[in-house]
Amino acid sequence: MSKARGLFDEQIRLEKLSRKQDPLEQLGKHIDFDFFRKPLEKFFVKDSDRSRGGRPAYDYVLMFKILILQRYYNVSDDAIEYAILDRLSFMRFLGLGINDPVPDAKTIWLFRDKLTEGNVVEKLFGHLDNLLDKENIIVHKAKLIDASIVEVPVQRNSRDENKELKQGTIPEEWEENKLRQKDTDAQ
């Protein structure tokens, strides 16, 4: 049963996450991520060409914090884009509200690629590790589990064919072309 949305639903949910000791909120309390603004701006200023127009760049610290999430949760660019859209704790860590735009996977990839090319990404993470050490914070890397739902084509096997497959044998009359189209492990 779905109830009508309330004005403070997001705030109430975030307060509940705080009571559960949201690790990203704790990290944000101990680390001043604005420390990374100056080196990021210094790196990207030499690379920016505003004459071409286009949409304004995302905040550099926001983008670096996305790389932090990727590293500590071990997720791809596409998966982190989805996770940011999906998880309130990630949005709060990044300083995003529910209506704020989220960088897409390509933007995240380009940002990391430029930092990697300039040999900056590892230096930034080295600084982050030093700050974590000073605060006596240990970050345990984790994995987000990606539950993919894939529609599988219906197998139109006869009863005899299904019986053979259950016994672990492949029907003799199946030729190479038919075998390529069948999943003999599916039941």
Side-chain angles (χ1 to χ4, degrees):
M1 185 163 105
S2 178
K3 70 173 198 161
R5 291 185 183 243
L7 185 59
F8 299 103
D9 287 351
E10 183 180 348
Q11 181 181 346
I12 292 167
R13 181 67 57 90
L14 287 170
E15 287 170 0
K16 192 170 186 177
L17 287 171
S18 294
R19 287 193 301 273
K20 296 280 186 187
Q21 301 296 308
D22 176 6
L24 295 175
E25 184 180 30
Q26 298 302 315
L27 184 61
K29 286 179 181 176
H30 289 282
I31 302 297
D32 178 14
F33 288 101
D34 222 38
F35 170 85
F36 297 97
R37 184 170 306 285
K38 202 172 209 173
L40 285 166
E41 286 176 349
K42 184 178 176 185
F43 175 75
F44 282 104
V45 163
K46 66 180 178 196
D47 192 36
S48 67
D49 179 11
R50 300 273 181 223
S51 65
R52 292 185 294 179
R55 121 184 233 342
Y58 285 98
D59 178 67
Y60 299 134
V61 174
L62 164 81
M63 295 300 293
F64 180 62
K65 287 169 85 174
I66 290 173
L67 298 184
I68 293 169
L69 289 173
Q70 273 191 295
R71 181 168 281 193
Y72 291 135
Y73 286 95
N74 194 25
V75 291
S76 68
D77 298 331
D78 289 315
I80 196 66
E81 178 188 356
Y82 179 84
I84 295 166
L85 291 166
D86 187 54
R87 295 182 72 164
L88 284 175
S89 60
F90 281 22
M91 284 186 261
R92 174 169 55 187
F93 176 70
L94 297 171
L96 297 174
I98 199 85
N99 292 326
D100 290 327
V102 172
D104 64 10
K106 178 74 172 173
T107 302
I108 296 165
W109 177 84
L110 284 169
F111 181 79
R112 185 184 52 258
D113 191 55
K114 283 183 180 184
L115 287 177
T116 304
E117 271 182 24
N119 296 316
V120 176
V121 74
E122 289 308 319
K123 289 178 186 173
L124 293 173
F125 274 102
H127 288 305
L128 177 62
D129 290 341
N130 289 337
L131 290 172
L132 292 171
D133 286 343
K134 283 181 186 174
E135 292 289 326
N136 293 319
I137 297 173
I138 297 172
V139 178
H140 295 285
K141 291 184 180 182
K143 285 192 178 192
L144 286 181
I145 304 300
D146 177 21
S148 299
I149 299 171
V150 180
E151 195 170 327
V152 190
V154 176
Q155 301 229 19
R156 306 209 187 279
N157 302 331
S158 69
R159 285 188 182 170
D160 291 336
E161 290 172 331
N162 281 335
K163 192 175 182 181
E164 285 184 60
L165 289 170
K166 283 182 184 180
Q167 293 172 353
T169 60
I170 297 172
E172 288 180 28
E173 63 273 4
W174 284 11
E175 297 171 8
E176 189 176 332
N177 287 340
K178 189 168 189 172
L179 273 173
R180 272 193 236 126
Q181 298 173 22
K182 294 287 187 177
D183 184 354
T184 57
D185 296 324
Q187 291 189 14

